Amino acid sequence: MTHNQFSNKILSNNRTINIWDIALLCLIFGAISIVVWNIAQVSAPYHVGDPIKISLSPYYLPGYAIRSTFRLLIGLCCSLLFTFIVGTLAAKNKAAERIIIPAIDIMQSVPPLGFLSLAVVSFVTLFPHSLLGPECASIFTVFTAQVWNITLSFYQSLRSIPHELCEASAIFQLSAWKRFWRLEVPLATPGLLWNIMLSMSASWFFVVASEAITVANQNIMLPGIGSYIALAIDSSNLHAIFYAIAAMFIVILIYDQLLFRPILTWAEKFKFSDSDDDIPNRSWLFKLLQRTKFFKYLLSNTRRFFTSLLNILFISSPPILPSKLTYALPQRFHRPIRTIGYCLLFASLLLFAWRLFLFLNHASHLSEIRHIFYLGLLTAARVISLIILSTIVWLPIGVWIGMRPKWVAWVQPSTQFLAAFPANLLFPLVTILISRYQLNQEIWTSPLMILGTQWYIFFNVIAGVRYLPKDLYQTTALFQVKRWLWWRRLLLPAIAPYLITGAMAASGGAWNASIIAESVSWGGTRLQVTGLGAYISEFAHRGDFTKLMIGLCVMCVYVLVINWLIWQPLYRWVARFAGQLR
Amino acid sequence: MIETPKPLIKVQHIKKSFKKRYNQDLLVLDDVNFDLKQNEIVALLGKSGSGKSTILRIIAGLIKPTTGQVLYNDQPIIKPVQGMSMVFQHFGLLPWLTVLQNVELGLEAQHVPRQERRDRALATIDMVGLDGFESAYPKELSGGMCQRVGFARALVVNSEILLMDEPFSALDVLTSENLRNDLMDLWQQQKTLLKSMLIVTHNIEEAALLADRLLIFSANPGYVRAEMHIDLPHPRQTQSPKFIEIVDNIYTLMTRPEKVQRTFHISQRLRTQSIGYRLPNVEVSMLSGFLETMHSPEYEQRIDLPDLAEALHLDVDNLFPVTGALEILQFAKVSQGDIELTKIGKQFIKADILAKKKIFAKQLISHVPLISHIYNTLQQRSGHRIGKDTIVRQLKNYLSEEASNEVFRIAIDWGRYAEVFAYDANTEMLSFEDP
C-alpha cells in the first residue's frame, strides 16, 4: 500500500509550474481579498452570546474530548463529501480538471490556521447569536487541513483505474452511480485511508488550535480539549496541562484502536495486489467483530441495504450521468462553449487581479510588504534548518528500523499513533522550559514547528528502505561495500525520493505550525518571536484583517515558491537514480 | 452445424485512427470487414499492435470507430449492449467482490431480482466448475480459476456472443489447455445460449485448435489480410497430420509478403525506407541467439518456422519481430513459412565478438534508415552530439508518441551494441564517444 500511495503523492507534487498556477494564484488571492474586504465592511462587533465557561476540573475532560472528536469527525465527513464530488468532477471532466487540480495545489499551501480567523468572522456573521458560527469555523479549519490531500488521492485513484475494469463495467452496463460505488470508491479506498491517516496529525492539531481563538480581541472558546488547554495555559496550571495530554492520549488511542485500525483491516480487501512486502494491518477489534454473531448479522444486513441502495431503479437504471460530461453536448457546441468558458475565466482573472492590486495598494505600503517578506525569510530559514536537522536525526533511525522487518511491524503503527498526537498540546511544556532557563526564544521555539511533522520524514525513510530490493543488500554485502560508500552508493540514492517526499510534507506542515509555534505563551509570559507566523497570529489577535490577509498571502507565496524552486527540481533530480533502480 | 448461417454481426468498413498532435492521424485499423455467423467460432490472429484488440472493442461498443459500423442483428452498435459479453486477458475481476458477487455484477446491472440473480449465478458457477469457491475472493484464486470466474460472469447474462481478448495468454500452458477444453465442451454440448464466439489471439496453435474460421490480421494499420476455414471436427488433436498441415499453412499465410494491391500499401512499403519505420522490438542477444540456433547442425538450409518456433518456445509476438528484424538487417530470408540464412547471416555467426559488432554496424547503417540518419547527423554536427528529443520529435511525424519512444529505445539498443554511437541516459544525448 505504502509504495503506491507515496508514488501517487509524488506524482501530484511533481507538476511543473505553468501559467495556470500563476493565474490561479491571482484568482484565489483575489477572491479571498474580496471576501475579506466585504467582511471588513460588515465587521461590526459581533456577539457570540455569553462566554462559555470552561472548567479546568479533569471531570469535564471526557466531555470536552468527545466534543472535540465530533468536530474532527464532522470535518472528516465534509472532506469525504467534498472529495467525492470535486475529485470525481476533476477526474471525469477535462475542463474542471484544469482548474481544480492546480487550485488544490495552491490551497494545500495555504495555512488553515490563517484562515481560521477569517472563517470565524464569516461564520459568525452567517449565524449570529449562536455558537453555530464558531463551531462551523472550527470544523471548517479541520476540513481545510485535510481535504486537499484526500481529494488529490481520490482523483489519482480514479485516474489510474485499471483499463480492463473500466471495460468490464461498461460491457456489463453498470450505471454511473453503480460504477461509482462498485468500482471507483472501493478502488480508491486504500489511498483515501492512507491519506486520512497522514492528515490525522494535522486534523487533531487544528481541532485543538481552532477551539480557543482570539479574533479581534474577542475570546471565543468552544467547549473542547483545545479550550481546556488554552485556559490551562492562561492560568499557568501545569496539572491541567498534564490532564489534557493524558486525555488526548487516551482519545487518540481509542480512535486508533476502535475506529481507524478496524477500518484499515477491513479495507485490506480493497487493495489491488497483495505483495509480500506489505505488513497486513491487524486489529483485535475487527477480528473480534468478525467472529461475533451479532456483528455478522449486522454486516450482512448492511451489505444487503447497500446493494439495494445501489439498485434503486430511478438512480441506477439509465446512466444519468454520461461517463464523460463533455459528451453530453453535441460535438458542434464544444468549441463555442469552451471559448466562452475561457473568456469568462479570463475576464474574472482580470477582475480579481485588479481587485488584488487595489487591495494591496490601498492596504499597505511597499515598506510594509518588504518587512513581511523579511519576516518570511526568517521563518523560511527556521523551517529549512529544522528539516535538515530532523533528517539528520531520523534518517539513521529510520534506516536502522526499516532494515529490521520485525521492528517495522510495531514501530509503524505506534509512530502512526504518535504522529496523530497534536503537537500543540506539548507547546506549553517547551514554553515553560524556555522561560525557566532564559533560553533564546528566537532559536528555541523553532523546534515546536517540526514537532508534529517530523514523522513524515521518519515514515518515508522507513518505507523507502523497505521497498529497496533485497538482492541489492546482498550484493553490497558480498562486495563488502560498507559505511560511507554503502550510504553513498546504495542507500541514499535509493531512498532519496522518499526522503524528499517526506521532507516536502514536513516543510508544508512546519509552515502551518509556525503560526502557533512562533507565538506561544505560558500564563502571563508570551514568547514573541520575529517571524511570519508570529506576524500572522498577532494581527489575527488584533483583528487587523488586511494585515492578516497580506501575511497569509506572503506565506502562501513562500510555500509555493519553495515548492517550485527547491522541492520539485530536487525531486526530479533525485528520482532519476531511483527510476533506474526499479 | 447449420449450412447457411445468417450473420449475427457484420463488421463493415471499420476505420479507426487515433489523434496525434501535429501531424496526420495515426491509422490503426484500415477498412476492416467481416461477418460473425451463427454457430461458429472465429479467431482473429495477428501480431501485437495489429489492432486486433481494438476491433474487438469496437465490436463490443467500448470504442467508437472513426468510420464504418458494426451491426448486431442489423442494429448498429454504439455502446455495449445486452447479448454480447467479453472475457479479458487479465480477467478484469473486482478484487473486493467475492466470486459470487463478481458473477452477479452483470445481472445486478440488468435489475434481475435478488433471488433469481443468486440462482442463476450459482448455476453458472457450477457450470464452469467453480463449485465451492462462491465466497472466495479473486486474490485467493489461481489465474485459471480467475479466468473461470471471468467466463462465468460473461455467460451468466445469457449472452449470444462471447468476445474473448486473449483469454488464455496470461495462463500457463497446462492451465490454458484445460480451460480451453472445458470451454469447448460447454460450446459443443450447447449448455449455454451462446451462438457465436470471437477470440483474439496471437497464439497460432490456439487459433487452429478453436476456430472454425481464421482471420489473419496485418499490422500497421490493421486489416484482414487472409481468411481460412478450418473444417476439422472438435476435439482436435495437435499431433494429427491434418492439424500440423493447417498450422503450417497459417505460418505460410502470416509470413507471406503483403501484396501491394492498394495504394495505401504502396506508401506503407515506402515507409520502410523512411526513418519512421517501426523497428521490431527485439534485443540483439535474441537476434544472435536465433541465428545461432538456425545454424546448428540439426537444421537444414531452409528451416520450417513452426518447428523453429516450437523448439525455441516462441509465440507470434516473439517470433515475427525476430524474423522481421533479421530480414531488415538481411541476415535471413523468410518465404512460405520457411526461413533461410543469408551469406551475411552466416558470416555474422562465425565472427568473433568484435567482428560481429562490425558486421552488425555495417548492416545497421546500410539498412536501417533511422540509424543511418542518426549516424549522418552526428557526423555533420560540429560537436558530434544530438539530443534524444530531436530524434523523437522527428519520429513523431510518423508514429505515435509511445511508438516513437519505443523505436528510439530499440535504435539506441542496436546502435550501442554495434558501437555506431553512444548514448548518455542522464543528459539524453547521443554522441560518438563513450566516456
Side-chain angles (χ1 to χ4, degrees), chain A residues 164 167 173 178 182 576, chain B residues 57 81 90 96 108 426:
Chain A
E164 283 195 344
E167 290 180 341
Q173 300 166 53
K178 212 176 270 179
R182 273 277 187 248
R576 275 201 126 107
Chain B
R57 278 162 176 74
V81 290
H90 299 290
W96 39 86
E108 237 183 284
N426 278 325

Side-chain angles (χ1 to χ4, degrees), chain B residues 13 38 48 57 102 142 204 285 288 339 409:
Chain B
H13 305 293
Q38 273 202 2
S48 67
R57 278 162 176 74
N102 262 302
S142 65
I204 291 179
S285 58
S288 59
I339 187 162
R409 192 183 51 72

Side-chain angles (χ1 to χ4, degrees), chain B residues 70 98 105 198 236 240 274 286 324 359 378:
Chain B
V70 176
T98 60
L105 188 71
L198 178 63
R236 294 172 184 166
S240 76
S274 79
M286 187 96 171
I359 299 174
L378 282 176

